[in-house]
Amino acid sequence: MRTPVMAGNWKMYKTPEETAGFFARFLEQVGNPADREIVICPPFVNIPAAVAATSGSVVRIGGQNLYWKTEGAFTGEVSGPMLRAAGCTHVIVGHSERRQYFSETDETVLARTRAALEAGLTPIVCVGETLEARESGETASVLTRQFQDGIAPLETAQFGQIVIAYEPVWAIGTGRTATPAIAAEAHVTLRRLAASRFGTDPADRVRILYGGSVKPDNIQTLMAEKEIDGVLVGGASLDPVSFATITNA
Ligand code: 13P
């Protein structure tokens, strides 16, 4: 059994004050479930407020990105040890918005994933195809390339520490959710790649989340798909009632 991960990616939304307000309402509604992991990844400046608000709860806090060096003259960057010291347990790596707008490549995804693991953080490594790739029948080849270059070079023990998020770019922020069957097909592709590189046991254990227009009204059907081990939620994680409905599903 793979413990589901219900993760929220706040992207560039909310102030520290709004962060505290969110958790005051969210925590009332989630209780302390032991059968799932709940993670919120707010913007960096809100991490202290988020860590303070969730202390003593089951909710874990993550960054949305990290640099692969531990410190140095890298203006504007934040390192894994800094995130860890601030109270984070997780970090998103290689989100499609980073790939699209900030020149993230499979090579930098790998470097950031290794840095996260060295800092004791759980990386949530994102992969997924664009609409163009899907329409031209290249979904499997895109996922294969992202896996081979961004994930396969990890050591088996390192692979055992990561979470993968399949986020088809065409489903992000568009209201167009992949059907559970489409998501399952991609998850199976990723799990097969994992099995051929790391062996069936690590492949069976890795959690593969689905992300892209996950909402309270589609969470049940997505989570009913056995290949989907949780979700990475953007827009619907900003509202405490919606995200509680999702995490409670
Ligand atoms: P939406 O849920 O807003 O489509 O965003 C998904 C996402 O990018 C999560 O990382």
Side-chain angles (χ1 to χ4, degrees):
M1 260 311 275
R2 298 183 289 261
T3 305
V5 180
M6 314 301 271
N9 171 12
W10 280 2
K11 309 192 179 186
M12 200 172 73
Y13 290 99
K14 292 196 194 291
T15 62
E17 197 181 339
E18 289 164 346
T19 300
F22 171 94
F23 283 111
R25 295 199 58 205
F26 178 69
L27 292 176
E28 280 169 5
Q29 295 167 71
V30 288
N32 263 341
D35 60 345
R36 63 201 59 202
E37 293 170 18
I38 302 173
V39 185
I40 292 265
C41 302
F44 290 137
V45 293
N46 299 343
I47 288 170
V51 168
T54 54
S55 127
S57 81
V58 296
V59 178
R60 298 285 167 264
I61 302 302
Q64 296 176 11
N65 185 32
L66 81 166
Y67 193 52
W68 51 82
K69 302 274 190 176
T70 54
E71 62 178 12
F74 303 105
T75 303
E77 295 301 304
V78 169
S79 75
M82 289 170 186
L83 291 175
R84 191 84 180 106
C88 288
T89 51
H90 292 68
V91 62
I92 297 171
V93 174
H95 190 277
S96 65
E97 287 149 18
R98 305 286 325 163
R99 294 179 188 255
Q100 197 177 345
Y101 306 128
F102 303 101
S103 311
E104 189 83 67
T105 63
D106 296 324
E107 289 68 32
T108 59
V109 167
L110 176 63
R112 289 184 215 278
T113 302
R114 286 179 169 145
L117 292 166
E118 265 159 41
L121 296 163
T122 300
I124 302 174
V125 184
C126 301
V127 295
E129 79 289 358
T130 61
L131 182 60
E132 199 185 10
R134 172 153 290 268
E135 287 181 341
S136 52
E138 284 163 17
T139 299
S141 66
V142 169
L143 294 177
T144 301
R145 191 207 70 224
Q146 291 175 339
F147 183 90
Q148 297 302 7
D149 295 349
I151 297 176
L154 296 173
E155 320 224 326
T156 305
Q158 292 178 312
F159 179 76
Q161 306 294 314
I162 77 168
V163 171
I164 297 174
Y166 168 61
E167 297 207 315
V169 179
W170 48 270
I172 295 177
T174 58
R176 215 176 134 180
T177 324
T179 61
I182 288 178
E185 191 183 1
H187 289 212
V188 167
T189 300
L190 290 163
R191 219 177 279 288
R192 282 206 188 113
L193 289 161
S196 64
R197 163 66 183 90
F198 298 106
T200 48
D201 196 44
D204 282 346
R205 282 169 198 267
V206 69
R207 271 89 53 91
I208 307 181
L209 317 185
Y210 167 75
S213 298
V214 175
K215 305 286 176 211
D217 63 7
N218 59 29
I219 186 67
Q220 298 286 358
T221 43
L222 288 165
M223 290 304 292
E225 170 52 59
K226 72 172 177 17
E227 275 300 326
I228 298 179
D229 306 318
V231 284
L232 181 56
V233 187
S237 72
L238 295 169
D239 177 74
V241 177
S242 315
F243 194 54
T245 308
I246 289 171
T247 57
N248 290 339

